[in-house]
Amino acid sequence: MINYTIMQKIIDEIKKTSGDMARRGWAESNGGNISLRLNSENYACFDGLQTKSDWIKLPVAIPEIAGERFLVTGTGRFLRNIEVFPEKNIGVIEIDRKGEAWQLLWGYEPTGAPTSELPAHLLSHVSIKKKSDNQSFAFIHTHPNSVIALTYAVANLDTKSLSKILWQSHAECVVVFPQGIEFLSWKMAGSMDLGRATAEAMLRRNLAVWQFHGICGCGRNLDEAFGRIDVAEKAAEICLRVMAAGGAKQTLTDTQLRAIAANFNCPIDESLFE
Ligand SMILES: [Zn+2]
């Protein structure tokens, strides 16, 4: 049976996150996209709805998410409009029993489809579901200015150097993302290549930067995924300000970074110090 109270709660959650992203300047035009795998309570509230599309084949079979339902922002739709017209700009899709196709249960009024970054979202959901023992449900891709700017301003970036730069730029970073932040060199937006690389990164870390493009983050819920990206973006902004002011004259040492992580019981990825 359709539970409109729970449905409204989920819609309110995505309205809050998408509105925050738009106001931060992370979601120009149709930039940025959000997906939320529905937990058992949320899943059931979309029972009983008449389906709104045929089964539409996924570019690759993903049996690990067979039967799952996702709330996903629409392709070509603006995140800033979700607050005003949620039923036009977001939709709920269901994956078939083999993980080969999706169909629309609700939303994308009058017609539409999920974000073109659907491969990155769905493949990443496989990773985050697995690594969190089915406790993580949210995945966000967005375009924060300072993170993107950093991928132009710093030479020879890789996962180690990017993680270290951000950890050193803001003392809370090592607590929020102790496993670091994956750096992915440029790949075509919406491609399977980008989707696969992002999903692989999500097995190890909760954040991944797409060179010259943006960032992805995951979490138990949208607030956690958003918060991780927000902290990384803040650190990137501080880093750029320091560079503009003539470069760092001092910074957090490896010993201090390890001490902060230990103080908050955060399992830091030691390989990033090598
Ligand atoms: Zn993008």
Side-chain angles (χ1 to χ4, degrees), residues 10 14 33 45 58 62 81 99 103 128 140 154 158 221 225 244 266:
I10 307 165
I14 198 166
N33 25 78
C45 89
L58 289 165
I62 317 176
N81 290 340
Q103 68 175 358
I128 65 181
I140 295 174
V154 180
D158 58 18
N221 49 43
C266 297

Side-chain angles (χ1 to χ4, degrees), residues 66-174:
E68 297 270 13
R69 290 174 180 168
F70 296 88
L71 190 153
V72 192
T73 53
T75 184
R77 308 293 165 93
F78 292 12
L79 290 195
R80 61 190 286 270
N81 290 340
I82 291 175
E83 285 180 320
V84 191
F85 299 117
E87 69 282 5
K88 285 187 181 177
N89 298 293
I90 57 178
V92 172
I93 62 167
E94 180 172 296
I95 310 297
D96 73 357
R97 288 175 175 202
K98 291 183 173 173
E100 292 176 349
W102 63 270
Q103 68 175 358
L104 184 61
L105 298 183
W106 177 90
Y108 305 141
E109 296 288 348
T111 57
T115 169
S116 58
E117 299 290 1
L118 194 64
H121 280 261
L122 295 184
L123 292 169
S124 293
H125 275 290
V126 174
S127 299
I128 65 181
K129 182 181 176 184
K130 187 173 163 192
K131 79 170 174 184
S132 71
D133 201 15
N134 202 17
Q135 297 303 306
S136 277
F137 295 89
F139 184 80
I140 295 174
H141 160 62
T142 188
H143 300 167
N145 296 350
S146 300
V147 164
I148 298 169
L150 213 55
T151 71
Y152 288 88
V154 180
N156 306 316
L157 267 184
D158 58 18
T159 297
K160 278 185 191 173
S161 57
L162 179 62
S163 299
K164 198 79 174 288
I165 285 168
L166 294 182
W167 283 350
Q168 288 176 326
S169 295
H170 185 320
E172 305 260 299
C173 284
V174 79

